[in-house]
Amino acid sequence: DQQVKQNSPSLSVQEGRISILNCDYTNSMFDYFLWYKKYPAEGPTFLISISSIKDKNEDGRFTVFLNKSAKHLSLHIVPSQPGDSAVYFCAGFKNYGGSQGNLIFGKGTKLSVKP
Amino acid sequence: GAGVSQTPSNKVTEKGKYVELRCDPISGHTALYWYRQSLGQGPEFLIYFQGTGAADDSGLPNDRFFAVRPEGSVSTLKIQRTERGDSAVYLCASSLNKVSPLHFGNGTRLTVT
């Protein structure tokens, strides 16, 4: 059973436009969510996170929105740049005293930003 | 400073052989994690160390997999009697503590023939 689902395996966007990456989760015990970005032959790099007590977190061009009632979160990138082309992973975990070893990742969405 | 270093970057081995994968975490990071990423999947948790001890090994798939971190820094993931299904990218990550963001290495791509 997939607790974190990224239903779009790929997304193509024009440079300068908005990229919206979506993520759904089934485990209502998750109280913290993270987005990681991964380039080929490199490890994932932490991008942005959000606690379940918030519905929005912003960091420069990156904004994550959380809709707890829908068990849905999304990552918005505005404006998109060619260097943003990578695989983006959504992950959730339970921050009750556990560790991020309990991170549950989705399968990822490959974003391509075309010049 | 230096990031998480994993060696080798690639390892090809025959079915049934033993392999060791090494991880050098970021200096001062007390938490160390091993993940495994199969093709088309997200990273999957294997084991977490806090200092020298394995605080959570619930992700290890079976007793062929074992990991150590004897001095609380470098860690080695050991796989006995490798099987073709073990082929994957093995990712190591470290963090300042158990709730800080993980910093991943570039991984070791293991291929079992």
Side-chain angles (χ1 to χ4, degrees), chain A residues 36 42-44 89 97 99-103 105-107, chain B residues 33 35 37 41-43 45 56 98-100 102 105-106:
Chain A
Y36 279 81
E42 294 184 10
F89 291 100
S99 75
Q100 287 180 71
N102 295 324
L103 272 178
F105 285 85
K107 292 186 176 183
Chain B
Y33 308 80
Y35 280 77
Q37 186 175 12
Q41 304 295 318
F45 168 71
D56 183 352
K98 66 180 184 179
V99 293
S100 300
L102 303 187
N106 289 340

mmCIF file with all atom_site columns, all heavy atoms in Angstrom, chain A residues 36 42-44 89 97 99-103 105-107, chain B residues 33 35 37 41-43 45 56 98-100 102 105-106:
data_model
loop_
_atom_site.group_PDB
_atom_site.id
_atom_site.type_symbol
_atom_site.label_atom_id
_atom_site.label_alt_id
_atom_site.label_comp_id
_atom_site.label_asym_id
_atom_site.label_entity_id
_atom_site.label_seq_id
_atom_site.pdbx_PDB_ins_code
_atom_site.Cartn_x
_atom_site.Cartn_y
_atom_site.Cartn_z
_atom_site.occupancy
_atom_site.B_iso_or_equiv
_atom_site.pdbx_formal_charge
_atom_site.auth_seq_id
_atom_site.auth_comp_id
_atom_site.auth_asym_id
_atom_site.auth_atom_id
_atom_site.pdbx_PDB_model_num
ATOM 1   N N   . TYR A 1 36  ? 11.840 16.793 -1.844 1.00 0.00 ? 36  TYR A N   1
ATOM 2   C CA  . TYR A 1 36  ? 13.232 16.635 -2.218 1.00 0.00 ? 36  TYR A CA  1
ATOM 3   C C   . TYR A 1 36  ? 13.335 16.723 -3.735 1.00 0.00 ? 36  TYR A C   1
ATOM 4   O O   . TYR A 1 36  ? 12.428 16.311 -4.465 1.00 0.00 ? 36  TYR A O   1
ATOM 5   C CB  . TYR A 1 36  ? 13.789 15.284 -1.754 1.00 0.00 ? 36  TYR A CB  1
ATOM 6   C CG  . TYR A 1 36  ? 14.194 15.254 -0.302 1.00 0.00 ? 36  TYR A CG  1
ATOM 7   C CD1 . TYR A 1 36  ? 13.246 15.074 0.704  1.00 0.00 ? 36  TYR A CD1 1
ATOM 8   C CD2 . TYR A 1 36  ? 15.524 15.406 0.067  1.00 0.00 ? 36  TYR A CD2 1
ATOM 9   C CE1 . TYR A 1 36  ? 13.622 15.055 2.032  1.00 0.00 ? 36  TYR A CE1 1
ATOM 10  C CE2 . TYR A 1 36  ? 15.913 15.385 1.399  1.00 0.00 ? 36  TYR A CE2 1
ATOM 11  C CZ  . TYR A 1 36  ? 14.950 15.200 2.370  1.00 0.00 ? 36  TYR A CZ  1
ATOM 12  O OH  . TYR A 1 36  ? 15.329 15.184 3.680  1.00 0.00 ? 36  TYR A OH  1
ATOM 13  N N   . GLU A 1 42  ? 22.805 11.835 -8.701 1.00 0.00 ? 42  GLU A N   1
ATOM 14  C CA  . GLU A 1 42  ? 23.036 12.505 -7.435 1.00 0.00 ? 42  GLU A CA  1
ATOM 15  C C   . GLU A 1 42  ? 21.999 12.048 -6.419 1.00 0.00 ? 42  GLU A C   1
ATOM 16  O O   . GLU A 1 42  ? 20.946 11.515 -6.781 1.00 0.00 ? 42  GLU A O   1
ATOM 17  C CB  . GLU A 1 42  ? 22.956 14.025 -7.587 1.00 0.00 ? 42  GLU A CB  1
ATOM 18  C CG  . GLU A 1 42  ? 24.058 14.610 -8.444 1.00 0.00 ? 42  GLU A CG  1
ATOM 19  C CD  . GLU A 1 42  ? 24.004 16.125 -8.490 1.00 0.00 ? 42  GLU A CD  1
ATOM 20  O OE1 . GLU A 1 42  ? 23.240 16.722 -7.716 1.00 0.00 ? 42  GLU A OE1 1
ATOM 21  O OE2 . GLU A 1 42  ? 24.738 16.709 -9.314 1.00 0.00 ? 42  GLU A OE2 1
ATOM 22  N N   . GLY A 1 43  ? 22.297 12.257 -5.141 1.00 0.00 ? 43  GLY A N   1
ATOM 23  C CA  . GLY A 1 43  ? 21.307 11.958 -4.127 1.00 0.00 ? 43  GLY A CA  1
ATOM 24  C C   . GLY A 1 43  ? 20.250 13.044 -4.044 1.00 0.00 ? 43  GLY A C   1
ATOM 25  O O   . GLY A 1 43  ? 20.443 14.154 -4.530 1.00 0.00 ? 43  GLY A O   1
ATOM 26  N N   . PRO A 1 44  ? 19.095 12.731 -3.447 1.00 0.00 ? 44  PRO A N   1
ATOM 27  C CA  . PRO A 1 44  ? 18.048 13.752 -3.279 1.00 0.00 ? 44  PRO A CA  1
ATOM 28  C C   . PRO A 1 44  ? 18.556 14.905 -2.416 1.00 0.00 ? 44  PRO A C   1
ATOM 29  O O   . PRO A 1 44  ? 19.335 14.715 -1.484 1.00 0.00 ? 44  PRO A O   1
ATOM 30  C CB  . PRO A 1 44  ? 16.931 12.983 -2.559 1.00 0.00 ? 44  PRO A CB  1
ATOM 31  C CG  . PRO A 1 44  ? 17.201 11.540 -2.827 1.00 0.00 ? 44  PRO A CG  1
ATOM 32  C CD  . PRO A 1 44  ? 18.687 11.415 -2.913 1.00 0.00 ? 44  PRO A CD  1
ATOM 33  N N   . PHE A 1 89  ? 10.533 14.488 -5.280 1.00 0.00 ? 89  PHE A N   1
ATOM 34  C CA  . PHE A 1 89  ? 9.920  13.502 -4.402 1.00 0.00 ? 89  PHE A CA  1
ATOM 35  C C   . PHE A 1 89  ? 9.205  14.202 -3.260 1.00 0.00 ? 89  PHE A C   1
ATOM 36  O O   . PHE A 1 89  ? 9.744  15.103 -2.620 1.00 0.00 ? 89  PHE A O   1
ATOM 37  C CB  . PHE A 1 89  ? 10.991 12.573 -3.810 1.00 0.00 ? 89  PHE A CB  1
ATOM 38  C CG  . PHE A 1 89  ? 11.622 11.648 -4.801 1.00 0.00 ? 89  PHE A CG  1
ATOM 39  C CD1 . PHE A 1 89  ? 12.864 11.937 -5.354 1.00 0.00 ? 89  PHE A CD1 1
ATOM 40  C CD2 . PHE A 1 89  ? 10.986 10.475 -5.173 1.00 0.00 ? 89  PHE A CD2 1
ATOM 41  C CE1 . PHE A 1 89  ? 13.452 11.079 -6.270 1.00 0.00 ? 89  PHE A CE1 1
ATOM 42  C CE2 . PHE A 1 89  ? 11.569 9.608  -6.089 1.00 0.00 ? 89  PHE A CE2 1
ATOM 43  C CZ  . PHE A 1 89  ? 12.801 9.909  -6.636 1.00 0.00 ? 89  PHE A CZ  1
ATOM 44  N N   . GLY A 1 97  ? 8.273  11.852 17.837 1.00 0.00 ? 97  GLY A N   1
ATOM 45  C CA  . GLY A 1 97  ? 9.401  11.364 18.622 1.00 0.00 ? 97  GLY A CA  1
ATOM 46  C C   . GLY A 1 97  ? 10.189 10.367 17.819 1.00 0.00 ? 97  GLY A C   1
ATOM 47  O O   . GLY A 1 97  ? 11.188 9.837  18.269 1.00 0.00 ? 97  GLY A O   1
ATOM 48  N N   . SER A 1 99  ? 12.038 9.538  13.960 1.00 0.00 ? 99  SER A N   1
ATOM 49  C CA  . SER A 1 99  ? 13.078 10.213 13.194 1.00 0.00 ? 99  SER A CA  1
ATOM 50  C C   . SER A 1 99  ? 12.683 10.240 11.733 1.00 0.00 ? 99  SER A C   1
ATOM 51  O O   . SER A 1 99  ? 11.700 9.637  11.342 1.00 0.00 ? 99  SER A O   1
ATOM 52  C CB  . SER A 1 99  ? 14.402 9.469  13.336 1.00 0.00 ? 99  SER A CB  1
ATOM 53  O OG  . SER A 1 99  ? 14.366 8.286  12.542 1.00 0.00 ? 99  SER A OG  1
ATOM 54  N N   . GLN A 1 100 ? 13.489 10.960 10.962 1.00 0.00 ? 100 GLN A N   1
ATOM 55  C CA  . GLN A 1 100 ? 13.190 10.972 9.534  1.00 0.00 ? 100 GLN A CA  1
ATOM 56  C C   . GLN A 1 100 ? 13.588 9.665  8.875  1.00 0.00 ? 100 GLN A C   1
ATOM 57  O O   . GLN A 1 100 ? 13.503 9.527  7.671  1.00 0.00 ? 100 GLN A O   1
ATOM 58  C CB  . GLN A 1 100 ? 13.858 12.176 8.872  1.00 0.00 ? 100 GLN A CB  1
ATOM 59  C CG  . GLN A 1 100 ? 13.142 13.459 9.260  1.00 0.00 ? 100 GLN A CG  1
ATOM 60  C CD  . GLN A 1 100 ? 13.766 14.672 8.634  1.00 0.00 ? 100 GLN A CD  1
ATOM 61  O OE1 . GLN A 1 100 ? 13.674 14.895 7.438  1.00 0.00 ? 100 GLN A OE1 1
ATOM 62  N NE2 . GLN A 1 100 ? 14.434 15.463 9.458  1.00 0.00 ? 100 GLN A NE2 1
ATOM 63  N N   . GLY A 1 101 ? 14.009 8.697  9.645  1.00 0.00 ? 101 GLY A N   1
ATOM 64  C CA  . GLY A 1 101 ? 14.111 7.356  9.113  1.00 0.00 ? 101 GLY A CA  1
ATOM 65  C C   . GLY A 1 101 ? 12.746 6.821  8.784  1.00 0.00 ? 101 GLY A C   1
ATOM 66  O O   . GLY A 1 101 ? 12.605 5.884  8.004  1.00 0.00 ? 101 GLY A O   1
ATOM 67  N N   . ASN A 1 102 ? 11.726 7.408  9.360  1.00 0.00 ? 102 ASN A N   1
ATOM 68  C CA  . ASN A 1 102 ? 10.377 6.992  9.039  1.00 0.00 ? 102 ASN A CA  1
ATOM 69  C C   . ASN A 1 102 ? 9.808  7.743  7.843  1.00 0.00 ? 102 ASN A C   1
ATOM 70  O O   . ASN A 1 102 ? 8.616  7.684  7.594  1.00 0.00 ? 102 ASN A O   1
ATOM 71  C CB  . ASN A 1 102 ? 9.465  7.221  10.253 1.00 0.00 ? 102 ASN A CB  1
ATOM 72  C CG  . ASN A 1 102 ? 9.865  6.340  11.411 1.00 0.00 ? 102 ASN A CG  1
ATOM 73  O OD1 . ASN A 1 102 ? 10.284 5.208  11.213 1.00 0.00 ? 102 ASN A OD1 1
ATOM 74  N ND2 . ASN A 1 102 ? 9.758  6.849  12.617 1.00 0.00 ? 102 ASN A ND2 1
ATOM 75  N N   . LEU A 1 103 ? 10.656 8.462  7.128  1.00 0.00 ? 103 LEU A N   1
ATOM 76  C CA  . LEU A 1 103 ? 10.205 9.157  5.918  1.00 0.00 ? 103 LEU A CA  1
ATOM 77  C C   . LEU A 1 103 ? 9.651  8.155  4.924  1.00 0.00 ? 103 LEU A C   1
ATOM 78  O O   . LEU A 1 103 ? 10.294 7.158  4.614  1.00 0.00 ? 103 LEU A O   1
ATOM 79  C CB  . LEU A 1 103 ? 11.364 9.895  5.253  1.00 0.00 ? 103 LEU A CB  1
ATOM 80  C CG  . LEU A 1 103 ? 11.700 11.315 5.666  1.00 0.00 ? 103 LEU A CG  1
ATOM 81  C CD1 . LEU A 1 103 ? 12.905 11.806 4.894  1.00 0.00 ? 103 LEU A CD1 1
ATOM 82  C CD2 . LEU A 1 103 ? 10.514 12.225 5.434  1.00 0.00 ? 103 LEU A CD2 1
ATOM 83  N N   . PHE A 1 105 ? 8.495  8.013  1.096  1.00 0.00 ? 105 PHE A N   1
ATOM 84  C CA  . PHE A 1 105 ? 8.595  8.767  -0.145 1.00 0.00 ? 105 PHE A CA  1
ATOM 85  C C   . PHE A 1 105 ? 7.569  8.309  -1.171 1.00 0.00 ? 105 PHE A C   1
ATOM 86  O O   . PHE A 1 105 ? 7.215  7.122  -1.227 1.00 0.00 ? 105 PHE A O   1
ATOM 87  C CB  . PHE A 1 105 ? 9.984  8.587  -0.772 1.00 0.00 ? 105 PHE A CB  1
ATOM 88  C CG  . PHE A 1 105 ? 11.088 9.338  -0.098 1.00 0.00 ? 105 PHE A CG  1
ATOM 89  C CD1 . PHE A 1 105 ? 11.754 8.816  1.003  1.00 0.00 ? 105 PHE A CD1 1
ATOM 90  C CD2 . PHE A 1 105 ? 11.499 10.590 -0.573 1.00 0.00 ? 105 PHE A CD2 1
ATOM 91  C CE1 . PHE A 1 105 ? 12.787 9.509  1.618  1.00 0.00 ? 105 PHE A CE1 1
ATOM 92  C CE2 . PHE A 1 105 ? 12.527 11.276 0.032  1.00 0.00 ? 105 PHE A CE2 1
ATOM 93  C CZ  . PHE A 1 105 ? 13.175 10.745 1.127  1.00 0.00 ? 105 PHE A CZ  1
ATOM 94  N N   . GLY A 1 106 ? 7.139  9.251  -2.009 1.00 0.00 ? 106 GLY A N   1
ATOM 95  C CA  . GLY A 1 106 ? 6.403  8.904  -3.209 1.00 0.00 ? 106 GLY A CA  1
ATOM 96  C C   . GLY A 1 106 ? 7.365  8.436  -4.290 1.00 0.00 ? 106 GLY A C   1
ATOM 97  O O   . GLY A 1 106 ? 8.580  8.411  -4.089 1.00 0.00 ? 106 GLY A O   1
ATOM 98  N N   . LYS A 1 107 ? 6.801  8.096  -5.466 1.00 0.00 ? 107 LYS A N   1
ATOM 99  C CA  . LYS A 1 107 ? 7.638  7.572  -6.542 1.00 0.00 ? 107 LYS A CA  1
ATOM 100 C C   . LYS A 1 107 ? 8.325  8.675  -7.337 1.00 0.00 ? 107 LYS A C   1
ATOM 101 O O   . LYS A 1 107 ? 9.200  8.400  -8.148 1.00 0.00 ? 107 LYS A O   1
ATOM 102 C CB  . LYS A 1 107 ? 6.805  6.715  -7.493 1.00 0.00 ? 107 LYS A CB  1
ATOM 103 C CG  . LYS A 1 107 ? 6.316  5.420  -6.873 1.00 0.00 ? 107 LYS A CG  1
ATOM 104 C CD  . LYS A 1 107 ? 5.626  4.553  -7.910 1.00 0.00 ? 107 LYS A CD  1
ATOM 105 C CE  . LYS A 1 107 ? 5.226  3.222  -7.295 1.00 0.00 ? 107 LYS A CE  1
ATOM 106 N NZ  . LYS A 1 107 ? 4.615  2.313  -8.300 1.00 0.00 ? 107 LYS A NZ  1
ATOM 107 N N   . TYR B 2 33  ? 21.400 7.442  8.088  1.00 0.00 ? 33  TYR B N   1
ATOM 108 C CA  . TYR B 2 33  ? 20.332 6.633  7.540  1.00 0.00 ? 33  TYR B CA  1
ATOM 109 C C   . TYR B 2 33  ? 20.814 5.909  6.285  1.00 0.00 ? 33  TYR B C   1
ATOM 110 O O   . TYR B 2 33  ? 21.592 6.454  5.512  1.00 0.00 ? 33  TYR B O   1
ATOM 111 C CB  . TYR B 2 33  ? 19.141 7.509  7.127  1.00 0.00 ? 33  TYR B CB  1
ATOM 112 C CG  . TYR B 2 33  ? 18.640 8.448  8.192  1.00 0.00 ? 33  TYR B CG  1
ATOM 113 C CD1 . TYR B 2 33  ? 19.289 9.651  8.438  1.00 0.00 ? 33  TYR B CD1 1
ATOM 114 C CD2 . TYR B 2 33  ? 17.508 8.143  8.937  1.00 0.00 ? 33  TYR B CD2 1
ATOM 115 C CE1 . TYR B 2 33  ? 18.828 10.523 9.414  1.00 0.00 ? 33  TYR B CE1 1
ATOM 116 C CE2 . TYR B 2 33  ? 17.038 9.013  9.907  1.00 0.00 ? 33  TYR B CE2 1
ATOM 117 C CZ  . TYR B 2 33  ? 17.708 10.199 10.141 1.00 0.00 ? 33  TYR B CZ  1
ATOM 118 O OH  . TYR B 2 33  ? 17.248 11.066 11.103 1.00 0.00 ? 33  TYR B OH  1
ATOM 119 N N   . TYR B 2 35  ? 19.006 4.209  2.897  1.00 0.00 ? 35  TYR B N   1
ATOM 120 C CA  . TYR B 2 35  ? 17.812 4.020  2.091  1.00 0.00 ? 35  TYR B CA  1
ATOM 121 C C   . TYR B 2 35  ? 18.191 3.216  0.856  1.00 0.00 ? 35  TYR B C   1
ATOM 122 O O   . TYR B 2 35  ? 19.348 3.158  0.461  1.00 0.00 ? 35  TYR B O   1
ATOM 123 C CB  . TYR B 2 35  ? 17.225 5.371  1.626  1.00 0.00 ? 35  TYR B CB  1
ATOM 124 C CG  . TYR B 2 35  ? 16.389 6.097  2.653  1.00 0.00 ? 35  TYR B CG  1
ATOM 125 C CD1 . TYR B 2 35  ? 16.985 6.794  3.695  1.00 0.00 ? 35  TYR B CD1 1
ATOM 126 C CD2 . TYR B 2 35  ? 15.005 6.097  2.569  1.00 0.00 ? 35  TYR B CD2 1
ATOM 127 C CE1 . TYR B 2 35  ? 16.211 7.458  4.633  1.00 0.00 ? 35  TYR B CE1 1
ATOM 128 C CE2 . TYR B 2 35  ? 14.221 6.758  3.498  1.00 0.00 ? 35  TYR B CE2 1
ATOM 129 C CZ  . TYR B 2 35  ? 14.843 7.433  4.520  1.00 0.00 ? 35  TYR B CZ  1
ATOM 130 O OH  . TYR B 2 35  ? 14.072 8.098  5.450  1.00 0.00 ? 35  TYR B OH  1
ATOM 131 N N   . GLN B 2 37  ? 16.856 2.680  -3.264 1.00 0.00 ? 37  GLN B N   1
ATOM 132 C CA  . GLN B 2 37  ? 15.960 3.167  -4.303 1.00 0.00 ? 37  GLN B CA  1
ATOM 133 C C   . GLN B 2 37  ? 16.027 2.234  -5.504 1.00 0.00 ? 37  GLN B C   1
ATOM 134 O O   . GLN B 2 37  ? 17.065 2.145  -6.168 1.00 0.00 ? 37  GLN B O   1
ATOM 135 C CB  . GLN B 2 37  ? 16.316 4.601  -4.727 1.00 0.00 ? 37  GLN B CB  1
ATOM 136 C CG  . GLN B 2 37  ? 15.319 5.186  -5.708 1.00 0.00 ? 37  GLN B CG  1
ATOM 137 C CD  . GLN B 2 37  ? 15.587 6.624  -6.035 1.00 0.00 ? 37  GLN B CD  1
ATOM 138 O OE1 . GLN B 2 37  ? 16.647 7.183  -5.727 1.00 0.00 ? 37  GLN B OE1 1
ATOM 139 N NE2 . GLN B 2 37  ? 14.628 7.277  -6.663 1.00 0.00 ? 37  GLN B NE2 1
ATOM 140 N N   . GLN B 2 41  ? 11.067 3.941  -8.346 1.00 0.00 ? 41  GLN B N   1
ATOM 141 C CA  . GLN B 2 41  ? 10.492 4.056  -7.003 1.00 0.00 ? 41  GLN B CA  1
ATOM 142 C C   . GLN B 2 41  ? 11.157 5.201  -6.257 1.00 0.00 ? 41  GLN B C   1
ATOM 143 O O   . GLN B 2 41  ? 12.225 5.683  -6.624 1.00 0.00 ? 41  GLN B O   1
ATOM 144 C CB  . GLN B 2 41  ? 10.705 2.760  -6.222 1.00 0.00 ? 41  GLN B CB  1
ATOM 145 C CG  . GLN B 2 41  ? 10.151 1.516  -6.896 1.00 0.00 ? 41  GLN B CG  1
ATOM 146 C CD  . GLN B 2 41  ? 8.648  1.553  -7.001 1.00 0.00 ? 41  GLN B CD  1
ATOM 147 O OE1 . GLN B 2 41  ? 7.951  1.956  -6.072 1.00 0.00 ? 41  GLN B OE1 1
ATOM 148 N NE2 . GLN B 2 41  ? 8.133  1.152  -8.148 1.00 0.00 ? 41  GLN B NE2 1
ATOM 149 N N   . GLY B 2 42  ? 10.519 5.613  -5.171 1.00 0.00 ? 42  GLY B N   1
ATOM 150 C CA  . GLY B 2 42  ? 11.158 6.561  -4.276 1.00 0.00 ? 42  GLY B CA  1
ATOM 151 C C   . GLY B 2 42  ? 12.075 5.833  -3.316 1.00 0.00 ? 42  GLY B C   1
ATOM 152 O O   . GLY B 2 42  ? 12.032 4.611  -3.201 1.00 0.00 ? 42  GLY B O   1
ATOM 153 N N   . PRO B 2 43  ? 12.929 6.571  -2.630 1.00 0.00 ? 43  PRO B N   1
ATOM 154 C CA  . PRO B 2 43  ? 13.805 5.937  -1.630 1.00 0.00 ? 43  PRO B CA  1
ATOM 155 C C   . PRO B 2 43  ? 12.995 5.221  -0.565 1.00 0.00 ? 43  PRO B C   1
ATOM 156 O O   . PRO B 2 43  ? 11.949 5.704  -0.125 1.00 0.00 ? 43  PRO B O   1
ATOM 157 C CB  . PRO B 2 43  ? 14.574 7.124  -1.050 1.00 0.00 ? 43  PRO B CB  1
ATOM 158 C CG  . PRO B 2 43  ? 14.537 8.177  -2.113 1.00 0.00 ? 43  PRO B CG  1
ATOM 159 C CD  . PRO B 2 43  ? 13.201 8.009  -2.762 1.00 0.00 ? 43  PRO B CD  1
ATOM 160 N N   . PHE B 2 45  ? 13.255 3.355  3.228  1.00 0.00 ? 45  PHE B N   1
ATOM 161 C CA  . PHE B 2 45  ? 14.059 3.308  4.453  1.00 0.00 ? 45  PHE B CA  1
ATOM 162 C C   . PHE B 2 45  ? 14.556 1.903  4.760  1.00 0.00 ? 45  PHE B C   1
ATOM 163 O O   . PHE B 2 45  ? 13.806 0.922  4.644  1.00 0.00 ? 45  PHE B O   1
ATOM 164 C CB  . PHE B 2 45  ? 13.218 3.827  5.615  1.00 0.00 ? 45  PHE B CB  1
ATOM 165 C CG  . PHE B 2 45  ? 13.802 3.585  6.975  1.00 0.00 ? 45  PHE B CG  1
ATOM 166 C CD1 . PHE B 2 45  ? 14.927 4.296  7.393  1.00 0.00 ? 45  PHE B CD1 1
ATOM 167 C CD2 . PHE B 2 45  ? 13.251 2.665  7.844  1.00 0.00 ? 45  PHE B CD2 1
ATOM 168 C CE1 . PHE B 2 45  ? 15.467 4.093  8.649  1.00 0.00 ? 45  PHE B CE1 1
ATOM 169 C CE2 . PHE B 2 45  ? 13.785 2.452  9.099  1.00 0.00 ? 45  PHE B CE2 1
ATOM 170 C CZ  . PHE B 2 45  ? 14.894 3.162  9.502  1.00 0.00 ? 45  PHE B CZ  1
ATOM 171 N N   . ASP B 2 56  ? 16.725 2.169  14.709 1.00 0.00 ? 56  ASP B N   1
ATOM 172 C CA  . ASP B 2 56  ? 15.562 1.631  14.008 1.00 0.00 ? 56  ASP B CA  1
ATOM 173 C C   . ASP B 2 56  ? 16.070 0.847  12.811 1.00 0.00 ? 56  ASP B C   1
ATOM 174 O O   . ASP B 2 56  ? 16.619 1.448  11.885 1.00 0.00 ? 56  ASP B O   1
ATOM 175 C CB  . ASP B 2 56  ? 14.628 2.761  13.569 1.00 0.00 ? 56  ASP B CB  1
ATOM 176 C CG  . ASP B 2 56  ? 13.353 2.258  12.894 1.00 0.00 ? 56  ASP B CG  1
ATOM 177 O OD1 . ASP B 2 56  ? 13.238 1.045  12.626 1.00 0.00 ? 56  ASP B OD1 1
ATOM 178 O OD2 . ASP B 2 56  ? 12.478 3.095  12.611 1.00 0.00 ? 56  ASP B OD2 1
ATOM 179 N N   . LYS B 2 98  ? 17.796 13.935 14.738 1.00 0.00 ? 98  LYS B N   1
ATOM 180 C CA  . LYS B 2 98  ? 16.817 13.060 14.099 1.00 0.00 ? 98  LYS B CA  1
ATOM 181 C C   . LYS B 2 98  ? 15.658 13.792 13.433 1.00 0.00 ? 98  LYS B C   1
ATOM 182 O O   . LYS B 2 98  ? 14.873 13.174 12.719 1.00 0.00 ? 98  LYS B O   1
ATOM 183 C CB  . LYS B 2 98  ? 16.274 12.045 15.100 1.00 0.00 ? 98  LYS B CB  1
ATOM 184 C CG  . LYS B 2 98  ? 15.465 12.633 16.230 1.00 0.00 ? 98  LYS B CG  1
ATOM 185 C CD  . LYS B 2 98  ? 14.993 11.511 17.156 1.00 0.00 ? 98  LYS B CD  1
ATOM 186 C CE  . LYS B 2 98  ? 14.097 12.051 18.252 1.00 0.00 ? 98  LYS B CE  1
ATOM 187 N NZ  . LYS B 2 98  ? 13.634 10.957 19.129 1.00 0.00 ? 98  LYS B NZ  1
ATOM 188 N N   . VAL B 2 99  ? 15.556 15.098 13.639 1.00 0.00 ? 99  VAL B N   1
ATOM 189 C CA  . VAL B 2 99  ? 14.465 15.811 12.980 1.00 0.00 ? 99  VAL B CA  1
ATOM 190 C C   . VAL B 2 99  ? 14.968 16.884 12.005 1.00 0.00 ? 99  VAL B C   1
ATOM 191 O O   . VAL B 2 99  ? 14.189 17.592 11.399 1.00 0.00 ? 99  VAL B O   1
ATOM 192 C CB  . VAL B 2 99  ? 13.489 16.438 13.995 1.00 0.00 ? 99  VAL B CB  1
ATOM 193 C CG1 . VAL B 2 99  ? 12.752 15.355 14.764 1.00 0.00 ? 99  VAL B CG1 1
ATOM 194 C CG2 . VAL B 2 99  ? 14.217 17.376 14.943 1.00 0.00 ? 99  VAL B CG2 1
ATOM 195 N N   . SER B 2 100 ? 16.273 17.013 11.843 1.00 0.00 ? 100 SER B N   1
ATOM 196 C CA  . SER B 2 100 ? 16.811 17.955 10.864 1.00 0.00 ? 100 SER B CA  1
ATOM 197 C C   . SER B 2 100 ? 16.716 17.338 9.468  1.00 0.00 ? 100 SER B C   1
ATOM 198 O O   . SER B 2 100 ? 16.717 16.116 9.335  1.00 0.00 ? 100 SER B O   1
ATOM 199 C CB  . SER B 2 100 ? 18.274 18.269 11.171 1.00 0.00 ? 100 SER B CB  1
ATOM 200 O OG  . SER B 2 100 ? 18.414 18.838 12.434 1.00 0.00 ? 100 SER B OG  1
ATOM 201 N N   . LEU B 2 102 ? 17.468 15.651 6.020  1.00 0.00 ? 102 LEU B N   1
ATOM 202 C CA  . LEU B 2 102 ? 18.487 14.687 5.635  1.00 0.00 ? 102 LEU B CA  1
ATOM 203 C C   . LEU B 2 102 ? 19.338 15.238 4.490  1.00 0.00 ? 102 LEU B C   1
ATOM 204 O O   . LEU B 2 102 ? 18.832 15.875 3.575  1.00 0.00 ? 102 LEU B O   1
ATOM 205 C CB  . LEU B 2 102 ? 17.840 13.380 5.161  1.00 0.00 ? 102 LEU B CB  1
ATOM 206 C CG  . LEU B 2 102 ? 16.908 12.669 6.112  1.00 0.00 ? 102 LEU B CG  1
ATOM 207 C CD1 . LEU B 2 102 ? 16.513 11.317 5.547  1.00 0.00 ? 102 LEU B CD1 1
ATOM 208 C CD2 . LEU B 2 102 ? 17.516 12.524 7.477  1.00 0.00 ? 102 LEU B CD2 1
ATOM 209 N N   . GLY B 2 105 ? 23.910 11.292 0.230  1.00 0.00 ? 105 GLY B N   1
ATOM 210 C CA  . GLY B 2 105 ? 25.042 11.089 -0.656 1.00 0.00 ? 105 GLY B CA  1
ATOM 211 C C   . GLY B 2 105 ? 24.552 10.773 -2.058 1.00 0.00 ? 105 GLY B C   1
ATOM 212 O O   . GLY B 2 105 ? 23.335 10.716 -2.305 1.00 0.00 ? 105 GLY B O   1
ATOM 213 N N   . ASN B 2 106 ? 25.497 10.572 -2.983 1.00 0.00 ? 106 ASN B N   1
ATOM 214 C CA  . ASN B 2 106 ? 25.129 10.292 -4.368 1.00 0.00 ? 106 ASN B CA  1
ATOM 215 C C   . ASN B 2 106 ? 24.745 8.831  -4.598 1.00 0.00 ? 106 ASN B C   1
ATOM 216 O O   . ASN B 2 106 ? 24.318 8.470  -5.690 1.00 0.00 ? 106 ASN B O   1
ATOM 217 C CB  . ASN B 2 106 ? 26.262 10.673 -5.317 1.00 0.00 ? 106 ASN B CB  1
ATOM 218 C CG  . ASN B 2 106 ? 26.411 12.179 -5.411 1.00 0.00 ? 106 ASN B CG  1
ATOM 219 O OD1 . ASN B 2 106 ? 25.501 12.933 -5.093 1.00 0.00 ? 106 ASN B OD1 1
ATOM 220 N ND2 . ASN B 2 106 ? 27.593 12.630 -5.830 1.00 0.00 ? 106 ASN B ND2 1
#
